[in-house]
Amino acid sequence: MFAEFRHTIRRLRGQAIGWSIGLVFYGLLLGSMYDSVKDMQGISELLESYPQEIMAFFGGMAEMTTPWGYLDVEYFTLINMIIGIFAIGACVNLIVGDEEKGLLDLVLAHPISRSRLYWGRLLAFFTVITTILLIAWLSLVIPSSAFGFDLTPIEFLRPFLSLFAITMVFSTLALLLSFLLPSTRFAGMLSGALMVINFLMIGLSRINPDLEPFMEYTPMFYYQGGGAINSLEVGWTFGLLTTALLFALLAWIPFLKRDIRVSGEHSWQFSPILLINRIGKKITNIHKTIKNLFLKKIPVINNEGIGETPIRKTKDQKKNGWRIILLAALGIIVFYCVFSLIIINAADLWCDIF
Amino acid sequence: MNERSAIIIKDLHKFYGKVHALRGVNLEVKRGEMYGFLGPNGAGKTTTIRCMLDLIRPQAGSIRILGMDPQKLPVEVRSQIGYLPGELNLETNIKVLDMLRYFMGLRRNKVSWDYVTALTQRLELDLNMPVKNLSKGNKQKLGLVQALMPRAKILLLDEPTAGLDPLMQQVVYKMLKSAKAEGTTIFFSSHIISEVEAIAGRVAIIRKGIIAEEISPSQLASMTMRKVKIRFRKKIDTRPLTNLEGISLVSKGNGMDITLKVEGEMDKLIKTLANYPVGSIETLRHSLEEIFLDYYKDEEKEASLDVC
């Protein structure tokens, strides 16, 4: 496992250095501007003149002159998206990306178990993300007194813990989807879309309180951002991490038994997909029934003169293929929301009790 | 379980969706044997090898590698195997040296680095070269080094000399022969008949997912055919040539150029040609695919007649 861990770190180090440098500059730039915002005359009047919708969307804007309010709005509202893009991209390529490129065949022909490969790579990814966040944290902590932030390193650390947890949720979700969906591109796209939509919906729910009950079903609701500087909801953070762990387990178990694809092989067949494969014929029959519902049956006379209804792809059928894909995607989204809610609430309850 | 057997495959079946890729493969390779595995494209060679490595799981049948089941003891089985894939895909942003060190790490550093450098020197492979700058032949050399470096008990080589120049092919043959002399079992697939003739002790022919025949290299040689292109200085009557035993006409140009198919030895043809004004002779050996097509043509005809 150590060989795989070290090799993955080596592969990710270039990206990690790039993202770390970017985040350091981002932190330094925003930190250096805090002094001027804090002492700005009439900032409260300016903010009050903003439309209520904008104020609500960015959460703590009313408290922009406080360190936590400033960091919440300027830093922690967007950094989860920035780091999320890297995390999703890295995670979808962590194993399935190599499989698509045909690299996994040679690696798995060596005496390394699939579990060691999987956890070695995942552990390396966690290490890289932790390092990036640690560097970002240091870029705020070290010059904090010069920037005028009156915060301790622990207070700075709390939102980073929440950030780490939410990043883990979306990256392990991307990993899971990369095993379920026919291509890493599709998995990355769907995970990224889920993250961005979740982010936007959280913002909108602050404008429209009617949306708020629904947001509890999404993981981004449990990301505290700069609000964690004052107090970190340990239950929420723990819940997010547990969700991430369960996503990772859900991806790992089927990886142990499935066929390693040769490079270039992709399939939208439902049967080989891990979990569905377990349920086996029943699901395949449902799949066939759905497929037949959308198929156009065209009578054809074969050599023996018998009328048959072979499967033939029509334009309608292609559209229907997309409908099935969208239905599957919708199913995944619903599963993911309900699953997240149950885990996070259970973890939160557990933390409250103990 | 026969202790003298390195590989035993019994009634192996593998489906890819609706495609029945392996339809009951049976074979046995003895320890220390050099076993050629031949077949046309899509016959199931790579699928069989990937099943042996537990990269894919068969639906039915059994595999024993040195007495172990790859599905139950994949790591133990793979620790005894050196593998060269037919389609060698390698990471590009890495040096040859680092790549080999990584492969050593996967084998828990149970590989002698001196032996690795000796292999790279013998194959003239530059350790400091980035993989992305390697030619196809050099990538193949890297693949060979990683397969040979553990001094495994079994070598599974899918097209071992693909992309190598003839001189380097000879070097590889020598390396494989010396590995065999050390007791290594070599199971390889190839498309090059001369290669199979040169190094294999026994040959299995797989066709449509089933072992069609198991033969010796000399039997394989007798299956081989040649095409002979002859250009005459003037128009001639070709009948005396085409009437010879084992010779048939493939094409006839303007009466001065003919192409013949020769089965077996060429002695009679050459002696007959001595009576003709020959401008030039060009001999082409059939590819393995052409031999298979030709060899199984009659069988397929019979099969189609049976269906009708």
Side-chain angles (χ1 to χ4, degrees):
Chain A
M1 192 160 89
F2 183 67
E4 202 51 56
F5 173 81
R6 197 173 52 186
H7 185 66
T8 310
I9 295 268
R10 209 184 148 283
R11 288 174 77 184
L12 289 172
R13 77 182 165 193
Q15 293 176 59
I17 291 168
W19 282 89
S20 299
I21 291 170
L23 288 180
V24 166
F25 275 104
Y26 184 58
L28 291 175
L29 183 74
L30 291 174
S32 63
M33 287 195 287
Y34 174 64
D35 231 7
S36 51
V37 171
K38 187 176 70 174
D39 299 333
M40 211 168 139
Q41 295 292 320
I43 183 93
S44 303
E45 290 79 13
L46 176 72
L47 290 171
E48 276 168 23
S49 69
Y50 277 15
Q52 286 300 309
E53 287 78 8
I54 290 180
M55 295 285 281
F57 194 91
F58 291 102
M61 271 186 93
E63 298 189 60
M64 273 279 279
T65 51
T66 64
W68 78 265
Y70 178 78
L71 285 172
D72 186 40
V73 173
E74 297 290 345
Y75 193 82
F76 289 105
T77 303
L78 288 174
I79 199 170
N80 55 342
M81 292 287 108
I82 296 169
I83 200 87
I85 290 164
F86 162 71
I88 287 171
C91 245
V92 291
N93 284 306
L94 205 58
I95 292 168
V96 184
D98 275 6
E99 189 183 12
E100 282 183 1
K101 289 173 202 154
L103 303 174
L104 218 52
D105 245 35
L106 191 55
V107 175
L108 278 175
H110 284 80
I112 178 171
S113 68
R114 292 188 188 192
S115 292
R116 281 176 184 270
L117 178 112
Y118 181 88
W119 291 110
R121 289 191 177 193
L122 201 57
L123 204 63
F125 169 74
F126 289 158
T127 309
V128 167
I129 287 285
T130 309
T131 310
I132 292 173
L133 292 181
L134 205 65
I135 291 167
W137 172 69
L138 287 172
S139 73
L140 290 178
V141 169
I142 293 170
S144 64
S145 54
F147 292 156
F149 289 126
D150 188 19
L151 296 171
T152 64
I154 298 293
E155 285 172 320
F156 270 117
L157 187 66
R158 286 182 198 139
F160 277 100
L161 291 175
S162 184
L163 177 62
F164 175 74
I166 193 73
T167 308
M168 285 301 105
V169 169
F170 282 104
S171 47
T172 49
L173 174 74
L175 183 70
L176 174 62
L177 290 179
S178 72
F179 281 104
L180 293 172
L181 298 174
S183 76
T184 51
R185 276 187 196 175
F186 194 22
M189 191 181 73
L190 186 59
S191 321
L194 277 169
M195 184 178 72
V196 174
I197 290 166
N198 200 174
F199 167 75
L200 293 174
M201 292 301 286
I202 291 288
L204 288 174
S205 72
R206 290 183 188 138
I207 299 167
N208 183 356
D210 292 342
L211 286 171
E212 204 159 327
F214 299 104
M215 290 304 103
E216 286 181 23
Y217 289 89
T218 65
M220 202 68 94
F221 179 83
Y222 303 93
Y223 167 62
Q224 287 181 273
I229 292 173
N230 294 329
S231 82
L232 178 73
E233 290 280 356
V234 180
W236 288 8
T237 309
F238 185 68
L240 286 172
L241 288 172
T242 313
T243 309
L245 181 66
L246 282 166
F247 280 146
L249 286 169
L250 277 177
W252 168 60
I253 294 163
F255 177 61
L256 296 176
K257 292 288 169 194
R258 79 189 193 118
D259 283 357
I260 302 298
R261 293 177 296 179
V262 181
S263 57
E265 267 183 16
H266 304 289
S267 165
W268 241 116
Q269 285 174 348
F270 281 74
S271 58
I273 296 177
L274 14 123
L275 298 172
I276 295 170
N277 203 19
R278 298 256 161 172
I279 306 167
K281 285 182 182 174
K282 283 184 184 175
I283 294 289
T284 313
N285 287 339
I286 294 167
H287 171 218
K288 276 181 186 169
T289 315
I290 295 169
K291 206 173 170 184
N292 288 334
L293 274 174
F294 292 116
L295 287 178
K296 273 195 171 178
K297 293 188 175 181
I298 304 160
V300 169
I301 308 296
N302 67 10
N303 291 339
E304 291 165 16
I306 301 165
E308 281 190 349
T309 54
I311 295 164
R312 189 178 287 183
K313 286 212 169 186
T314 62
K315 279 183 183 176
D316 285 349
Q317 203 181 327
K318 283 177 187 170
K319 277 184 191 172
N320 292 330
W322 277 107
R323 278 180 207 162
I324 293 168
I325 290 171
L326 288 173
L327 274 172
L330 196 68
I332 289 168
I333 292 167
V334 171
F335 166 76
Y336 145 83
C337 291
V338 174
F339 186 77
S340 307
L341 177 79
I342 293 166
I343 298 302
I344 293 166
N345 279 342
D348 194 26
L349 188 69
W350 188 82
C351 284
D352 285 346
I353 293 167
F354 296 99
Chain B
M1 168 67 207
N2 186 348
E3 283 186 6
R4 294 170 71 187
S5 300
I7 303 166
I8 299 177
I9 298 177
K10 281 184 184 165
D11 200 25
L12 197 69
H13 287 262
K14 176 68 191 170
F15 290 85
Y16 291 115
K18 288 175 186 169
V19 179
H20 199 169
L22 299 181
R23 299 161 181 260
V25 171
N26 286 291
L27 61 86
E28 184 171 350
V29 182
K30 294 186 184 77
R31 289 188 193 216
E33 191 176 15
M34 209 183 270
Y35 195 86
F37 197 46
L38 310 183
N41 292 330
K45 299 188 295 286
T46 305
T47 301
T48 309
I49 292 175
R50 294 181 87 231
C51 283
M52 284 193 235
L53 289 161
D54 192 43
L55 296 172
I56 52 175
R57 309 268 158 96
Q59 273 80 18
S62 70
I63 303 173
R64 292 289 178 273
I65 308 283
L66 299 169
M68 295 180 282
D69 183 348
Q71 285 189 50
K72 287 181 183 158
L73 299 165
V75 177
E76 287 78 0
V77 165
R78 293 196 291 244
S79 67
Q80 305 292 337
I81 292 176
Y83 171 57
L84 173 71
E87 198 178 318
L88 184 63
N89 295 298
L90 298 163
E91 273 177 53
T92 48
N93 291 319
I94 188 168
K95 279 184 184 177
V96 172
L97 177 91
D98 295 325
M99 181 66 98
L100 290 171
R101 288 228 185 256
Y102 167 54
F103 289 136
M104 271 178 74
L106 292 178
R107 293 193 178 271
R108 300 185 183 193
N109 298 315
K110 287 177 185 168
V111 176
S112 154
W113 183 250
D114 289 342
Y115 185 61
V116 175
T117 49
L119 286 173
T120 54
Q121 279 168 10
R122 201 158 171 203
L123 289 169
E124 296 166 20
L125 179 65
D126 185 355
L127 282 169
N128 293 312
M129 189 85 101
V131 173
K132 65 183 166 194
N133 291 351
L134 294 180
S135 64
K136 192 181 179 237
N138 279 326
K139 278 184 187 160
Q140 186 71 5
K141 289 178 190 175
L142 173 55
L144 280 162
V145 171
Q146 66 78 33
L148 292 167
M149 70 184 195
R151 289 178 152 165
K153 286 183 181 166
I154 296 176
L155 285 174
L156 298 181
L157 309 172
D158 203 347
E159 307 277 348
T161 58
L164 297 180
D165 61 60
L167 285 174
M168 202 46 75
Q169 283 180 7
Q170 293 305 319
V171 174
V172 173
Y173 297 155
K174 279 182 189 167
M175 290 168 92
L176 295 181
K177 280 176 181 169
S178 63
K180 184 185 178 293
E182 287 172 17
T184 308
T185 308
I186 301 168
F187 184 94
F188 73 100
S189 77
S190 178
H191 272 82
I192 307 166
I193 299 166
S194 57
E195 178 173 294
V196 180
E197 282 174 14
I199 60 173
R202 245 177 350 134
V203 180
I205 296 172
I206 184 168
R207 190 170 157 268
K208 293 182 178 174
I210 198 156
I211 302 290
E213 264 176 288
E214 210 172 55
I215 53 173
S216 65
S218 56
Q219 282 174 300
L220 181 74
S222 69
M223 284 166 68
T224 60
M225 287 161 281
R226 291 173 182 82
K227 273 183 193 169
V228 180
K229 272 185 174 180
I230 308 162
R231 170 164 285 184
F232 297 98
R233 284 203 215 99
K234 59 180 184 182
K235 285 188 179 180
I236 57 136
D237 178 13
T238 57
R239 275 175 296 178
L241 293 170
T242 53
N243 287 341
L244 290 170
E245 192 187 334
I247 291 175
S248 53
L249 186 69
V250 176
S251 66
K252 191 176 176 181
N254 52 9
M256 288 172 72
D257 295 324
I258 61 165
T259 306
L260 302 171
K261 189 169 81 182
V262 185
E263 288 179 46
E265 293 184 348
M266 291 186 44
D267 184 59
K268 279 182 190 168
L269 176 69
I270 288 168
K271 281 177 180 162
T272 313
L273 279 175
N275 304 319
Y276 290 87
V278 177
S280 66
I281 299 179
E282 195 182 344
T283 310
L284 308 165
R285 205 165 191 188
H286 269 39
S287 70
L288 212 54
E289 266 72 23
E290 284 173 307
I291 292 169
F292 286 135
L293 276 174
D294 208 74
Y295 190 71
Y296 294 110
K297 195 168 60 186
D298 296 339
E299 200 180 295
E300 283 191 354
K301 271 182 191 169
E302 279 170 24
S304 62
L305 283 170
D306 285 348
V307 170
C308 290

